[in-house]
Amino acid sequence: MGKKFDMATEKPSQMDKEHMLQLRGISIAPYMQLGTQLIGKARFAGGNMFRHQIDTLGILIDYGYIDSVLLKASCIHDVVEDIPGFDQNLIRNADEEGEEVLKLVLEVTKRPGQLKNDYLREVLTNASHKAKLLKCADRISNMISLGFVTSAEFIERYCDETEYFIFPIALEVDFNMYQELINLVMSRRAYLEQSGYFDRKKDE
């Protein structure tokens, strides 16, 4: 699946000096500044959407990704979707990579009125390698946040969605991300089982 011509994103096995210097040379601050516009956007699990952007950035670095466009996009991957009337030129003009960053952000942005399943199916079948990595890191952050969600129905739906759409994406781009997502889904389903949610569903 995905674009066959799309080359894999570089992923060093460890943060050695060469890659530390490469990371030091990436100017993320202009994108973090744009991302702070999400501070007022509350999340269902608590916190706000800006923290989620930074969490997604941290997950990518944790997995060894230091591609500048990917990391910059992670800091603002929700701004177009979650800020009404957001001026995309702010990304385009942020620095010399702004155009590439905007293109990547738009790949992971659900269009107004687009059904969630249609959006995820589009990422699965048509998105670039970087967009799929970004989506996986985004979903890992979201799945971790499910530990603070009390709606069993929401947790079940999110787990189902992750298994059906995100597992295949992660299996394609990063097996370690795939394994973490499996463990996160298993832990959330175990919680639903222990809470008696599935028993209650049977009785309905």
Side-chain angles (χ1 to χ4, degrees):
M1 294 181 180
K3 299 180 180 179
K4 302 301 182 184
F5 60 84
D6 197 29
M7 295 181 65
T9 305
E10 181 189 3
K11 180 183 177 182
S13 58
Q14 60 180 349
M15 186 62 73
D16 55 23
K17 185 174 182 180
E18 176 188 354
H19 292 100
M20 179 276 291
L21 291 173
Q22 183 179 337
L23 183 61
R24 188 174 71 175
I26 300 173
S27 180
I28 298 180
Y31 295 92
M32 283 189 173
Q33 183 182 31
L34 292 176
T36 58
Q37 295 183 50
L38 290 165
I39 288 176
K41 297 285 184 178
R43 302 195 76 203
F44 188 54
N48 63 49
M49 289 301 294
F50 173 68
R51 295 182 192 177
H52 167 60
Q53 314 301 289
I54 302 306
D55 191 31
T56 303
L57 167 68
I59 289 168
L60 286 167
I61 294 175
D62 179 43
Y63 273 96
Y65 294 103
I66 53 175
D67 177 89
S68 59
V69 171
L70 178 61
L71 296 186
K72 290 172 181 179
S74 70
C75 294
I76 55 167
H77 68 273
D78 285 315
V79 294
V80 174
E81 185 174 329
D82 287 352
I83 299 176
F86 179 82
D87 183 1
Q88 296 181 16
N89 285 320
L90 293 173
I91 302 174
R92 192 175 282 115
N93 299 324
D95 65 8
E96 69 281 355
E97 292 186 312
E99 196 70 52
E100 290 182 75
V101 174
L102 176 59
K103 181 180 177 182
L104 181 52
V105 168
L106 293 177
E107 281 195 82
V108 296
T109 297
K110 187 169 76 70
R111 296 186 298 275
Q114 186 177 29
L115 296 177
K116 185 70 173 294
N117 284 358
D118 291 340
Y119 155 70
L120 291 173
R121 190 174 294 108
E122 187 173 305
V123 174
L124 173 61
T125 57
N126 296 322
S128 66
H129 190 268
K130 287 180 185 179
K132 290 179 178 181
L133 285 172
L134 180 51
K135 193 63 203 174
C136 288
D138 168 60
R139 183 53 63 113
I140 288 171
S141 172
N142 288 334
M143 287 299 302
I144 292 170
S145 297
L146 278 188
F148 300 95
V149 172
T150 56
S151 168
E153 292 79 8
F154 183 90
I155 294 171
E156 183 185 31
R157 177 170 58 80
Y158 217 75
C159 286
D160 289 345
E161 185 181 277
T162 300
E163 286 189 40
Y164 191 80
F165 294 107
I166 309 299
F167 279 6
I169 295 173
L171 189 57
E172 178 185 340
V173 296
D174 191 307
F175 187 72
N176 290 323
M177 284 186 171
Y178 171 67
Q179 289 183 306
E180 180 171 5
L181 284 162
I182 288 176
N183 289 332
L184 287 167
V185 168
M186 287 176 62
S187 72
R188 293 299 82 211
R189 290 202 183 282
Y191 162 75
L192 294 177
E193 182 71 39
Q194 293 161 10
S195 70
Y197 171 70
F198 294 122
D199 291 334
R200 292 195 297 274
K201 280 190 69 175
K202 291 177 184 176
D203 294 336
E204 288 178 357

